Amino acid sequence: MSYFSEKHGSEASSPAARPPHWTLAPKMSSWTIAPKRVGLFVLTGALLYSLVAFTLASRPHQRPTYLTERLPYNSTLVPHAAFQPPEALPHRYADMVDTFASYKYRNTCNISSLDLHAPFAPLCSDRQSMITAMSSGGRIGHDAPYMPRGCDMRWFSTEEICEILSRFEKVIILGDSMMRHVVGSINVLIRKDLGYGAVTDWNFSPEERQDCFCNYQFNVKACSVQGIFKTADVVKNDPESLACPASTVDVIIEMMIRFPIPSDELDRLRTLLPPEKPDRPYAFVLGHGLWNDLDLQATLDWLDQLLDVSKQHAPWLASSVTKSSTSAIRPKDRAAAVAAAKRERKHDLGFWPRLFLTPNAAGKEKPDEWIVSQGNKALMVFEEAVGMEVRRRGVEHLGTWNMSIQSNKFDGVHVDLKGNLIKAMMVMNWLNMIEVEKF
């Protein structure tokens, strides 16, 4: 990714500007323009162009240099300061400015990216430290800018987000309404639209334009049907609103909220997965919990079924897995087979990026009947338990409770537009750190 460019001045080419000994030739040269020579020249140019295009197309998608090479820590240290200023490096410029300045409805919605994240140094150096820092961070006051703990995350510009998404063939998000809001927020970022970026505003009625604007895009009662479920719909219906090249981004959510998972939902997942290895990797982001009343075992069974179905249909995701199904095993041997499959999940050898998001904190508007089973104590216990269990399955875990406990909740359950944009940026930081060059 290039951050700087240089303008090279061109020398004057008029006769007056030439050196005194320069004289114009009376004729071009003895080389005459003949049809055969023109054809040879065009053919040679076409071959060179094809060679360059093939080289660029066959080159694996690479991460930026600041992720693949160790850069010197370049920050102005402030003695006794709680947080050091961000490193004076080109890739941190977007962290220190309002990246929403050019977004539609920026002033009407009154949201600046600097309201959402306060940058500091050092930047997290690897994916694990980034996930830990984002899961453990917080705010200095209610609805204050969010800060990871120990090391910082990036706040990407839209152009950087487009580049990150272009490294992946598809980003598949599976889960409930909280995960749908993550997809909506990603669309806000790649459409540069704070007012209607998360919803299908291209077919809105006047009433919908009023009811699903800014923060109300995430109103689960009035605007859930109008949410964008896949970027392909934007490409089809409103391509001019997309800031990324249309062929480079493919983000989709499949709503899967219950366990056991209905067969038609599993069929939709299968249609997203090619049986043969694609040119670019797939990434999976999963979230579950509230629809099963924070039942840990139900969530793990839900996750295990999704992982197993994915591997059976797309074995390139995890090369250690066998294609046989436990359904064909005799009942008395099935328990042992299931236990063996769980052990296998930890040792999948394929390139399979997976991130599990646990639910955000509850707000004061949470209905009283859910305070015990889905209140903040239950959410904290669930987040800790899920983190331990999914890591045993080779899945990375991102907690959102700390990020959201001091944020505004739209309805006591879901965070508002600001909180969802932070969630989306957390996911983008995870995607950015995936070593796609190993695919």
Side-chain angles (χ1 to χ4, degrees):
M1 184 180 298
S2 174
Y3 290 87
F4 298 103
S5 62
E6 296 179 1
K7 294 184 178 179
H8 300 279
S10 58
E11 294 182 0
S13 58
S14 63
R18 296 189 182 101
H21 63 273
W22 241 60
T23 58
L24 290 172
K27 58 181 180 178
M28 291 176 60
S29 70
S30 60
W31 193 89
T32 58
I33 300 177
K36 290 184 178 180
R37 288 176 176 171
V38 172
L40 180 63
F41 177 78
V42 172
L43 180 60
T44 303
L47 289 173
L48 289 173
Y49 177 82
S50 300
L51 179 61
V52 171
F54 174 78
T55 302
L56 292 174
S58 59
R59 184 181 300 166
H61 292 267
Q62 299 289 333
R63 293 179 296 159
T65 305
Y66 75 87
L67 291 175
T68 57
E69 297 181 8
R70 181 68 65 179
L71 296 176
Y73 180 80
N74 186 17
S75 177
T76 303
L77 296 179
V78 180
H80 311 298
F83 300 98
Q84 298 296 331
E87 300 90 336
L89 295 171
H91 62 271
R92 298 228 62 185
Y93 173 74
D95 301 341
M96 297 178 279
V97 299
D98 178 15
T99 58
F100 298 160
S102 61
Y103 279 31
K104 293 180 181 178
Y105 305 107
R106 157 64 180 83
N107 294 331
T108 307
C109 297
N110 193 28
I111 298 177
S112 164
S113 65
L114 297 175
D115 297 334
L116 310 184
H117 168 247
F120 65 96
L123 188 68
C124 296
S125 59
D126 58 81
R127 195 164 74 246
Q128 186 53 58
S129 64
M130 178 75 75
I131 292 174
T132 301
M134 293 189 300
S135 299
S136 308
R139 305 165 188 264
I140 307 176
H142 181 78
D143 208 32
Y146 165 75
M147 303 178 72
R149 181 179 181 182
C151 58
D152 200 13
M153 60 185 267
R154 287 290 322 280
W155 193 273
F156 299 108
S157 66
T158 295
E159 292 71 25
E160 290 175 307
I161 292 172
C162 292
E163 189 278 323
I164 292 169
L165 293 175
S166 73
R167 303 176 205 165
F168 299 89
E169 194 78 22
K170 193 184 293 288
V171 177
I172 298 176
I173 299 180
L174 306 172
D176 54 18
S177 57
M178 287 188 177
M179 303 308 296
R180 186 180 71 241
H181 291 172
V182 172
V183 174
S185 297
I186 291 176
N187 278 285
V188 169
L189 296 170
I190 62 178
R191 297 180 72 197
K192 289 188 171 184
D193 188 344
L194 291 170
Y196 297 108
V199 290
T200 59
D201 60 313
W202 54 80
N203 59 11
F204 268 12
S205 66
E207 292 77 13
E208 288 172 321
R209 294 193 68 84
Q210 181 177 354
D211 294 341
C212 303
F213 181 61
C214 285
N215 203 38
Y216 292 92
Q217 296 174 87
F218 299 107
N219 185 334
V220 294
K221 294 182 179 180
C223 301
S224 59
V225 177
Q226 295 87 340
I228 295 175
F229 286 71
K230 52 186 176 181
T231 53
D233 288 341
V234 182
V235 173
K236 178 182 178 181
N237 296 285
D238 193 11
E240 293 184 358
S241 72
L242 196 63
C244 310
S247 61
T248 63
V249 293
D250 191 353
V251 182
I252 185 171
I253 181 171
E254 286 294 342
M255 298 289 293
M256 297 181 175
I257 57 180
R258 295 180 177 87
F259 182 82
I261 304 173
S263 58
D264 62 316
E265 294 182 2
L266 293 175
D267 289 340
R268 291 202 303 268
L269 173 60
R270 293 185 182 99
T271 61
L272 300 177
L273 301 173
E276 303 296 329
K277 185 177 179 180
D279 294 332
R280 293 176 292 170
Y282 276 49
F284 291 72
V285 184
L286 309 100
H288 189 263
L290 291 179
W291 272 89
N292 283 92
D293 212 19
L294 301 181
D295 184 333
L296 176 62
Q297 191 57 54
T299 292
L300 296 177
D301 290 341
W302 176 88
L303 174 63
D304 289 341
Q305 187 172 10
L306 290 177
L307 296 181
D308 290 342
V309 168
S310 299
K311 288 186 291 188
Q312 289 165 9
H313 192 74
W316 53 269
L317 286 170
S319 57
S320 67
V321 127
T322 60
K323 297 183 181 179
S324 60
S325 172
T326 57
S327 61
I329 301 174
R330 291 178 301 174
K332 66 178 182 178
D333 298 329
R334 190 167 298 162
V338 170
K342 289 183 178 180
R343 289 192 297 270
E344 272 188 331
R345 295 186 191 105
K346 176 66 176 178
H347 304 289
D348 292 334
L349 301 179
F351 190 91
W352 193 4
R354 293 159 291 174
L355 180 69
F356 196 103
L357 268 68
T358 36
N360 52 251
K364 62 181 182 295
E365 296 87 359
K366 187 97 170 182
D368 291 345
E369 60 265 30
W370 303 111
I371 292 299
V372 175
S373 61
Q374 296 183 11
N376 281 316
K377 178 180 179 180
L379 286 164
M380 294 170 69
V381 172
F382 181 78
E383 178 169 288
E384 183 178 356
V386 168
M388 293 187 292
E389 289 294 337
V390 301
R391 283 190 288 268
R392 292 172 183 169
R393 291 158 169 79
V395 178
E396 295 176 291
H397 169 247
L398 175 63
T400 63
W401 192 91
N402 281 310
M403 178 278 292
S404 56
I405 185 59
Q406 287 187 293
S407 68
N408 289 323
K409 314 299 187 301
F410 189 84
D411 52 10
V413 178
H414 303 86
V415 290
D416 62 1
L417 175 57
K418 293 180 180 180
N420 281 307
L421 286 169
I422 296 173
K423 281 189 185 181
M425 197 59 70
M426 287 174 156
V427 171
M428 296 309 306
N429 273 269
W430 174 74
L431 290 171
N432 183 50
M433 303 291 276
I434 293 174
E435 299 169 331
V436 294
E437 59 270 14
K438 294 182 178 180
F439 181 68

